[in-house]
C-alpha cells in the first residue's frame, strides 16, 4: 500500500485550503473554500516516501498498533450507537420476564409453569437481567465508548471556540451566500462599519489581508449548536454514571403492611430487600412509619363500575426514633420522602382478621392475615391461617375471601360483585397435624406445606363465614372466628443516590438536544478593496452549516446603504444563484 496521498479525480477542479500559517479546524477545507493548485495538493508531504523512493516496506501493526486500532473502533460513534442498541435490546427480557429483584414469587411461578424453558432462561440470567455479567459488560463498554468519543471532541471544541475565525477565502463569490456592491466609503471605513455591525450581532470578529488582495473582516458565531450536541452526549455519559452510582450504592425493599401495623427501616422488617453491590446495611436510615388506614375509591356506576379512581394511605412517620411524629397522605406517584429514601404505594388487598382456638379453648392465633388477590377486577382473594401453638395438634386453614359476596348467574357458586368490602364472606377449609414450622425449613406464609402427608384435612371441615361468625371443628380440635376485614398496602422503599444526578443529566440532555437543533454555525466574511472611479468594492460571503438563513440578507442590507449599488450592476442572491459570467469576471 502506497504512503502517498490519493489524488485521483483531482484534475477536474481545484482544492480549497486556508491561507498559510492559519491553524486548521474540523471541516475547515469545505468551509473556507480557498483555491490551491493541483500540483500543491498532489505533492508528496515532507517526510513521506513512496515505494519508488526505496523507502521501507510497511510492517505489521504490532501489539501497540492493534491496541490503538481497537481503541479507535471502541470509541467511534458507530460503536457507541451499536452498544446503546444492545443495552436497549438486553433490557427487553427484563421488562417481559419476571425478575428476582422485583418479584421472586412470580419467578417461582414461571419455573412451575415452564419447567423445561425456565432453566435455560436462567442460565443466561434472564430472570436477573440488570445484574447479569453480560449486561454489565455492555453497560461498561458503552460508558467507555461514550467517554472516549465525547471527551476528545469536547477538548477540540473548546480549542476551536478559542481560536481565531478562519481567514477569508480568495473568492467570496463562490460561497453559497454572497453579495458584492460599491460604496463611496473608503475600504477602512467599510471594514470598520462591518466590524461594528457584526459585533452588535454577537459575532466573534477578526481581520487581516493586505493592500493587493484587499483587507478583510472574518466573523463567526453559532458554536452553541455544537456545544449543545456535546452537552447532550456528556449528559448521556452522566446519566449512565448516575445509574451506575444508584445501582451500586442504593437499595430497594418491599414491605406489606396491614392497617394498624408499623415498619422500622431494618433488614428484618423487609419482605424483600435488594441492596446495591457496594451498599452497607449499617447505612440504613433509622426511620419508621405506621399505616393508620387505607382507602380505595371505585366507580359505582356505568361501564367503568368497579374501576379504582383513587388510593389513599394515611401514614405516620418519624425520621429518627427521637424525632417528632409527622403525618403524610401516601398516594400513587406521591411518595413519602424520609431518611433519604422514597416510599411508594404499589398495591393493596385485604387482610381478614381471625381468632383460632385449640381443643382446650386457648387462643392459638389472633391477627389479620394478608390475602393475595386471585383476580384484580373484584379482588377475590386467598390465604392461609397457621396456628402452630394449637394443642394437642397444630391447626391450619385455607380460606377464600369474597369482598362483596353474591351468587353467580347460574346460582351455583359465590362470586365477588365489587372490589370494595361491601359484604365480605370467607370459606374455610380446616387441616390438622404437623404444619412443618418446627423443622426450621423456611415456608411461604401464603401456602400450606405437607397436605396429605404431615397435614391432614379435617372431615367435614368446610364452612362459609361472615364477620362475627365462628366455625367449630367437628372433631372438637378447636374453632376459628372470622372477626372482620382490614386492608393492606404493598409499599416499596427506594434509596437511590444517583436519582438527582440522573435528573440533572436528563434535563441537560434535553436542553443540549434543543440547542443542537435550534442553533447553527455561521460564518461571514467582508472584503473591501479600491475599485474603478475612486469607489470601494465590497464583497460579502456567508457560510451556514445546513440550509442558508435570512440572517445573511439582513447583514448585507445593513452594510449596504441606500446610495450603494451592486458592483457593475450585478449582484448575487443569498441562495448562491449568481450569473456565471459575473463570477468568471470577478475571478
Amino acid at each position: 500500500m502506497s504512503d502517498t496521498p490519493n489524488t485521483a479525480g483531482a484534475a477536474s477542479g481545484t482544492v480549497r485550503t486556508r491561507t498559510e500559517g492559519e491553524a486548521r479546524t474540523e471541516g475547515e477545507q469545505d468551509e473556507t473554500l480557498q483555491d490551491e493548485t493541483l500540483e500543491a495538493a498532489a505533492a508528496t508531504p515532507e517526510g513521506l516516501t513512496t515505494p519508488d523512493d526505496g523507502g521501507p516496506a510497511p510492517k505489521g501493526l504490532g501489539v501497540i498498533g492493534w491496541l490503538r486500532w481497537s481503541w479507535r473502533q471502541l470509541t467511534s460513534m458507530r460503536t457507541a450507537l451499536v452498544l446503546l442498541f444492545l443495552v436497549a435490546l438486553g433490557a427487553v427480557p427484563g421488562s417481559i420476564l419476571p425478575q428476582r429483584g422485583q418479584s421472586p414469587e412470580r419467578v417461582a411461578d414461571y419455573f412451575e409453569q415452564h419447567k423445561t424453558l425456565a432453566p435455560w432462561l436462567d442460565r443466561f440470567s434472564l430472570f436477573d437481567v440488570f445484574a447479569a455479567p453480560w449486561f454489565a459488560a455492555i453497560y461498561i463498554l458503552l460508558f467507555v465508548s461514550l467517554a472516549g468519543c465525547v471527551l476528545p471532541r469536547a477538548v477540540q471544541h473548546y480549542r476551536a471556540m478559542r481560536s481565531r475565525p478562519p481567514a477569508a477565502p480568495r473568492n467570496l463569490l463562490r460561497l453559497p451566500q454572497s453579495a458584492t456592491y460599491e460604496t463611496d466609503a473608503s475600504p477602512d471605513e467599510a471594514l470598520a462599519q462591518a466590524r461594528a455591525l457584526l459585533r452588535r450581532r454577537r459575532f466573534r470578529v477578526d481581520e487581516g489581508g493586505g493592500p493587493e488582495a484587499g483587507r478583510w473582516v472574518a466573523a463567526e458565531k453559532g458554536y452553541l449548536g455544537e456545544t449543545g450536541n456535546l452537552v447532550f452526549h456528556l449528559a448521556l455519559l452522566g446519566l449512565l454514571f448516575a445509574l451506575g452510582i444508584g445501582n451500586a450504592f442504593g437499595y430497594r425493599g418491599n414491605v406489606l403492611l396491614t392497617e394498624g401495623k408499623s415498619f422500622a427501616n431494618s433488614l428484618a422488617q423487609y419482605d424483600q430487600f435488594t441492596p446495591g453491590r457496594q451498599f452497607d446495611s449499617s447505612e440504613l436510615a433509622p426511620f419508621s412509619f405506621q399505616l393508620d388506614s387505607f382507602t380505595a375509591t371505585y366507580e359505582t356506576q356505568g361501564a367503568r363500575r368497579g374501576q379504582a379512581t383513587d388510593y389513599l394511605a394515611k401514614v405516620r412517620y418519624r425520621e429518627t426514633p427521637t424525632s417528632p411524629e409527622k403525618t403524610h397522605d401516601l398516594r400513587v406517584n406521591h411518595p413519602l420522602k424520609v431518611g433519604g429514601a422514597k416510599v411508594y404505594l404499589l398495591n393493596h388487598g385485604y387482610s381478614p382478621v381471625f381468632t383460632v382456638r385449640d381443643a382446650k379453648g386457648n387462643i392459638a392465633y389472633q391477627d389479620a392475615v394478608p390475602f393475595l388477590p386471585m383476580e384484580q377486577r373484584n379482588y377475590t382473594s386467598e390465604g392461609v391461617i397457621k396456628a402452630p401453638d394449637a394443642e394437642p395438634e397444630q391447626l391450619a386453614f385455607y380460606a377464600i375471601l369474597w369482598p362483596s359476596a353474591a351468587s353467580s348467574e347460574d346460582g351455583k357458586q359465590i362470586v365477588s360483585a365489587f372490589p370494595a368490602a361491601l359484604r365480605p364472606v370467607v370459606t374455610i377449609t380446616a387441616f390438622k397435624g404437623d404444619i412443618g414450622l418446627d423443622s426450621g425449613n423456611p415456608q411461604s406464609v401464603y401456602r400450606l406445606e405437607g397436605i396429605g402427608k404431615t397435614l391432614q384435612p379435617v372431615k367435614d371441615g368446610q364452612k362459609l363465614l361472615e364477620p362475627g361468625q365462628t366455625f367449630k371443628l367437628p372433631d372438637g380440635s378447636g374453632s376459628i372466628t372470622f372477626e372482620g376485614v382490614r386492608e393492606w398496602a404493598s409499599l416499596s422503599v427506594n434509596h437511590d443516590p444517583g436519582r438527582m444526578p440522573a435528573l440533572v443529566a436528563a434535563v441537560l440532555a434535553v436542553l443540549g438536544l434543543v440547542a443542537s437543533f435550534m442553533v447553527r454555525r455561521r460564518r461571514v466574511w467582508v472584503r473591501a478593496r479600491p475599485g474603478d472611479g475612486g469607489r470601494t468594492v465590497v464583497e460579502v460571503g456567508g457560510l451556514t452549516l445546513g440550509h442558508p438563513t435570512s440572517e445573511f440578507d439582513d447583514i448585507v442590507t445593513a452594510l449596504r446603504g441606500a446610495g450603494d449599488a451592486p458592483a457593475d450592476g450585478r449582484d448575487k442572491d443569498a441562495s448562491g444563484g449568481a450569473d456565471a459570467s459575473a463570477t468568471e469576471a470577478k475571478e
Side-chain angles (χ1 to χ4, degrees):
M1 185 174 69
S2 175
D3 290 334
T4 59
N6 184 9
T7 62
S12 61
T14 57
V15 180
R16 319 277 181 199
T17 66
R18 288 280 300 278
T19 58
E20 185 176 0
E22 296 287 340
R24 295 181 178 269
T25 58
E26 183 180 356
E28 189 177 320
Q29 274 189 315
D30 296 333
E31 295 180 356
T32 59
L33 302 176
Q34 284 188 274
D35 294 333
E36 187 178 60
T37 61
L38 175 62
E39 290 78 8
T44 302
E46 183 180 356
L48 295 182
T49 59
T50 65
D52 295 337
D53 296 329
K59 297 181 179 180
L61 290 178
V63 176
I64 302 298
W66 278 110
L67 290 176
R68 289 176 178 173
W69 180 86
S70 301
W71 175 253
R72 292 193 187 101
Q73 296 300 313
L74 177 61
T75 57
S76 66
M77 185 57 66
R78 178 178 58 185
T79 302
L81 291 175
V82 171
L83 291 171
L84 188 62
F85 172 76
L86 290 178
V87 168
L89 187 64
V92 171
S95 60
I96 296 177
L97 297 173
Q99 300 295 293
R100 285 193 176 91
Q102 288 75 35
S103 303
E105 68 282 353
R106 292 180 58 194
V107 175
D109 293 339
Y110 194 93
F111 268 83
E112 290 185 1
Q113 298 173 9
H114 306 83
K115 296 184 179 179
T116 303
L117 178 62
W120 281 99
L121 296 178
D122 197 30
R123 287 176 183 149
F124 295 98
S125 302
L126 295 184
F127 295 111
D128 202 3
V129 168
F130 303 107
W134 57 265
F135 189 86
I138 298 174
Y139 185 90
I140 294 174
L141 286 175
L142 175 60
F143 186 88
V144 174
S145 179
L146 279 176
C149 178
V150 176
L151 294 180
R153 279 183 57 197
V155 174
Q156 294 175 3
H157 179 62
Y158 176 75
R159 291 174 178 172
M161 290 178 62
R162 294 179 59 86
S163 64
R164 298 168 60 190
R170 182 172 302 172
N171 194 335
L172 294 179
L173 298 182
R174 286 188 174 184
L175 295 177
Q177 293 176 291
S178 64
T180 180
Y181 64 91
E182 293 183 354
T183 180
D184 292 330
S186 66
D188 290 339
E189 292 174 346
L191 292 180
Q193 178 189 3
R195 286 195 301 270
L197 173 65
L198 293 172
R199 284 196 176 104
R200 286 198 303 269
R201 289 179 170 266
R202 300 181 182 278
F203 279 86
R204 294 191 305 120
V205 179
D206 192 20
E207 59 183 319
E212 296 182 359
R215 295 188 59 79
W216 47 259
V217 169
E220 184 179 32
K221 74 174 180 178
Y223 276 97
L224 183 60
E226 177 65 14
T227 302
N229 185 277
L230 287 172
V231 167
F232 170 74
H233 288 90
L234 288 172
L236 289 183
L237 195 64
L239 185 61
L240 290 175
F241 183 76
L243 293 176
I245 290 294
N247 289 332
F249 296 96
Y251 67 86
R252 175 181 299 174
N254 293 341
V255 59
L256 187 148
L257 277 186
T258 300
E259 291 175 319
K261 300 289 185 178
S262 59
F263 167 82
N265 191 31
S266 63
L267 291 179
Q269 293 282 307
Y270 283 100
D271 299 323
Q272 175 188 338
F273 187 80
T274 306
R277 297 182 181 274
Q278 303 299 323
F279 179 76
D280 186 356
S281 58
S282 63
E283 299 176 358
L284 285 172
F287 63 84
S288 61
F289 55 83
Q290 177 177 320
L291 177 62
D292 289 336
S293 65
F294 179 89
T295 305
T297 306
Y298 305 94
E299 291 283 354
T300 58
Q301 296 179 350
R304 301 176 59 187
R305 183 178 183 273
Q307 183 173 342
T309 59
D310 186 35
Y311 296 136
L312 172 61
K314 290 186 174 294
V315 298
R316 288 177 292 159
Y317 68 96
R318 296 178 185 270
E319 294 275 356
T320 64
T322 58
S323 298
E325 191 174 64
K326 302 178 182 178
T327 60
H328 181 78
D329 290 344
L330 189 62
R331 285 187 164 90
V332 176
N333 297 327
H334 290 80
L336 167 65
K337 300 178 183 179
V338 55
K342 287 188 175 183
V343 182
Y344 294 90
L345 178 61
L346 297 182
N347 205 348
H348 78 104
Y350 292 101
S351 295
V353 182
F354 297 97
T355 300
V356 178
R357 298 179 182 272
D358 58 17
K360 301 179 180 179
N362 298 323
I363 296 178
Y365 180 86
Q366 188 176 37
D367 203 352
V369 182
F371 278 28
L372 298 181
M374 301 170 63
E375 46 87 15
Q376 296 294 328
R377 180 176 178 81
N378 293 314
Y379 277 85
T380 302
S381 306
E382 64 177 347
V384 298
I385 305 99
K386 300 179 182 180
D389 295 332
E391 295 179 353
E393 291 183 292
Q394 296 179 345
L395 298 177
F397 304 87
Y398 171 77
I400 296 178
L401 168 70
W402 290 278
S404 296
S407 298
S408 61
E409 294 181 356
D410 56 11
K412 295 182 179 179
Q413 58 182 357
I414 300 176
V415 296
S416 180
F418 198 73
L422 303 179
R423 188 195 173 194
V425 171
V426 295
T427 56
I428 297 293
T429 301
F431 299 86
K432 64 179 180 179
D434 184 7
I435 299 177
L437 295 177
D438 296 336
S439 63
N441 296 325
Q443 288 188 11
S444 170
V445 295
Y446 304 107
R447 182 177 302 176
L448 291 177
E449 305 289 345
I451 295 179
K453 299 178 181 178
T454 60
L455 199 60
Q456 304 298 328
V458 176
K459 186 178 180 180
D460 297 328
Q462 294 182 344
K463 184 71 173 179
L464 185 70
L465 298 177
E466 295 186 10
Q469 293 183 343
T470 298
F471 172 39
K472 293 183 178 181
L473 302 184
D475 57 0
S477 300
S479 65
I480 181 170
T481 303
F482 177 31
E483 306 287 357
V485 174
R486 299 178 188 172
E487 296 206 43
W488 58 258
S490 179
L491 307 175
S492 176
V493 182
N494 293 347
H495 173 65
D496 186 0
R499 179 187 293 109
M500 187 55 64
L503 176 61
V504 173
V507 172
L508 290 177
V510 173
L511 294 178
L513 192 62
V514 171
S516 67
F517 281 123
M518 298 295 293
V519 181
R520 286 181 286 177
R521 196 114 140 250
R522 287 97 75 200
R523 288 175 176 173
V524 176
W525 294 274
V526 181
R527 176 182 283 118
R529 57 182 174 82
D532 298 335
R535 306 195 77 191
T536 299
V537 178
V538 180
E539 296 177 353
V540 187
L543 190 65
T544 301
L545 186 63
H547 297 290
T549 65
S550 61
E551 183 182 32
F552 180 79
D553 297 332
D554 298 337
I555 293 174
V556 173
T557 301
L559 288 175
R560 183 168 59 189
D564 299 332
D568 298 330
R570 293 182 294 270
D571 197 3
K572 182 180 179 184
D573 60 21
S575 63
D579 181 74
S581 61
T583 304
E584 293 173 358
K586 291 300 177 184
E587 293 178 358

